[in-house]
Amino acid sequence: MGRPPCCEKIGIKKGPWTPEEDIILVSYIQEHGPSNWRSVPTNTGLMRCSKSCRLRWTNYLRPGIKRGNFTDHEEKMIIHLQALLGNRWAAIASYLPQRTDNDIKNYWNTHLKKKLAKNQSGAAEDGGDYQDGNSSRSQPKGQWERRLQTDIHMAKQALSEALSLSKSSNNNNNVLSESSSSYDASKFVTRTSHAASSSSSSYASSYENISKLLENWMKSPNSCAEMTTNSGNSFSSNNSEADHGFDSLLSFKSDDERKPKYLSSSEAQQQVPLTLLEKWLFDDGAAQCHEDLMNMSLEESTSGLF
DNA sequence: AAGGTCCACAACCGCCAATCC
DNA sequence: AGGATTGGCGGTTGTGGACCT
């Protein structure tokens, strides 16, 4: 006997989201915040499963998401983190606040996996550092592994706090501060449409539609007024006001915030840029000490478990 | 030009854990 | 305490565009 579906299958729309649906969802979340997903389909009239709404928001519509090509920097981080954590995409994504776990997972499966396999085939005898999540290196799912991840995070944060005293003035150069904390509707659309246009023309057209719809929608006095009065935010194209509006949007108070994955870019900026661990992650020569650090991390982080 | 294949990515599915009642 | 509900996560699939023959 399996678990019942999260929602009634009958009448539920599936497949790609339309710009109209996106706008409905975004405007609803703008007003109510990203919580109580169960009620979203009911309250918005969207013929979508609550889960689908949540995924659409977290993976695509949520402000602060960086789309498009991964930088070498990000690529290295993913490779190192995957070697350390296995296919724990959410955990990996927590180190790349602007990327979604889905994005990272896709990038790994479509690019990095092949890339590394190619590299490994050249040095198969050496026993490469990077292996798939199903390999012997990756750990089976379990509480101790989650604890490990937590411990790494805690250690990271402790280091961050210690270092932040001396580094606080340098935070603006943070690798995590790539994206502006300022958002307005046009930036939102431009940013995403630009990224989309580089990857998928169908999505580009979708974003063009969203852009047009948003523009028309913003021109509507009712919708603008509604947005402003309901949440104190503004979708106005006026830059300063809209920036503030999207900043507010970025700072939704919800349970999600407890998870690093959902750090807004401004929150992310508050973290110290490069902890020692992160420096290791970025270090090209890290392969040498990789094993040592792995052992150290495992030993130290699991010492209290047994 | 047309058909076939490959590729990238959004979306879905099923399971698990946390929370609620 | 325990069943129901909800949200999160990782694996997988479907679809549309790009590329090749």
Side-chain angles (χ1 to χ4, degrees):
Chain A
M1 188 181 78
R3 195 174 155 247
C6 67
C7 47
E8 292 297 330
K9 298 282 183 187
I10 304 162
I12 292 298
K13 188 182 172 191
K14 290 169 73 174
W17 280 64
T18 65
E20 290 82 1
E21 288 176 313
D22 283 342
I23 289 173
I24 290 169
L25 182 59
V26 166
S27 61
Y28 178 83
I29 292 172
Q30 167 85 355
E31 188 175 343
H32 297 93
S35 60
N36 195 10
W37 292 105
R38 183 74 172 181
S39 66
V40 171
T42 314
N43 294 344
T44 59
L46 286 168
M47 302 301 287
R48 293 280 182 174
C49 165
S50 59
K51 205 171 188 177
S52 180
C53 294
R54 180 173 57 81
L55 284 173
R56 181 64 179 170
W57 171 257
T58 56
N59 287 335
Y60 206 84
L61 298 173
R62 180 166 56 94
I65 292 176
K66 183 178 168 188
R67 308 196 66 81
N69 295 337
F70 281 70
T71 63
D72 287 346
H73 203 69
E74 291 171 317
E75 195 174 300
K76 281 179 187 173
M77 266 196 92
I78 293 168
I79 291 168
H80 281 300
L81 286 166
Q82 202 279 339
L84 179 63
L85 302 172
N87 294 357
R88 302 279 309 283
W89 306 118
I92 292 170
S94 72
Y95 289 90
L96 298 161
Q98 297 174 321
R99 300 289 188 179
T100 68
D101 54 353
N102 208 37
D103 239 9
I104 293 170
K105 181 171 59 183
N106 281 332
Y107 190 66
W108 174 265
N109 286 330
T110 56
H111 293 93
L112 298 179
K113 216 163 146 182
K114 292 172 192 170
K115 202 171 174 178
L116 292 172
K118 212 171 183 178
N119 290 343
Q120 273 186 355
S121 67
E125 293 79 16
D126 299 338
D129 249 3
Y130 311 115
Q131 299 178 21
D132 193 12
N134 297 326
S135 69
S136 58
R137 161 63 62 83
S138 71
Q139 311 299 328
K141 285 184 182 178
Q143 285 205 327
W144 75 268
E145 192 192 8
R146 294 180 188 280
R147 174 72 178 274
L148 166 63
Q149 166 63 14
T150 306
D151 286 349
I152 289 170
H153 253 300
M154 286 173 67
K156 195 166 99 80
Q157 284 182 347
L159 279 167
S160 294
E161 285 169 12
L163 293 169
S164 65
L165 295 173
S166 57
K167 287 187 176 179
S168 58
S169 61
N170 295 330
N171 278 1
N172 289 338
N173 299 326
N174 190 342
V175 62
L176 298 175
S177 67
E178 269 180 15
S179 88
S180 166
S181 61
S182 299
Y183 260 91
D184 60 26
S186 59
K187 283 178 188 170
F188 177 67
V189 172
T190 305
R191 179 188 296 262
T192 48
S193 66
H194 172 72
S197 64
S198 67
S199 57
S200 164
S201 59
S202 71
Y203 257 85
S205 63
S206 291
Y207 273 105
E208 284 163 12
N209 290 338
I210 292 174
S211 177
K212 284 175 187 173
L213 285 165
L214 273 176
E215 281 172 15
N216 292 333
W217 186 61
M218 286 187 294
K219 282 173 190 168
S220 158
N222 291 338
S223 58
C224 271
E226 195 178 22
M227 285 300 259
T228 315
T229 53
N230 282 336
S231 62
N233 297 335
S234 171
F235 251 83
S236 158
S237 57
N238 176 296
N239 281 342
S240 59
E241 288 181 15
D243 280 358
H244 172 68
F246 265 90
D247 275 348
S248 301
L249 187 60
L250 282 168
S251 62
F252 276 135
K253 298 298 176 200
S254 75
D255 291 346
D256 288 344
E257 281 191 347
R258 290 184 303 217
K259 304 229 171 191
K261 174 183 174 181
Y262 298 112
L263 282 177
S264 70
S265 51
S266 59
E267 285 170 322
Q269 285 172 26
Q270 288 169 9
Q271 293 187 349
V272 167
L274 290 177
T275 65
L276 297 176
L277 179 62
E278 286 166 336
K279 279 182 178 174
W280 161 74
L281 288 170
F282 294 134
D283 187 359
D284 278 341
Q288 181 85 29
C289 61
H290 187 188
E291 204 67 40
D292 292 338
L293 188 62
M294 268 295 288
N295 293 337
M296 182 200 76
S297 300
L298 286 168
E299 281 173 21
E300 290 185 356
S301 60
T302 57
S303 61
L305 294 176
F306 305 109

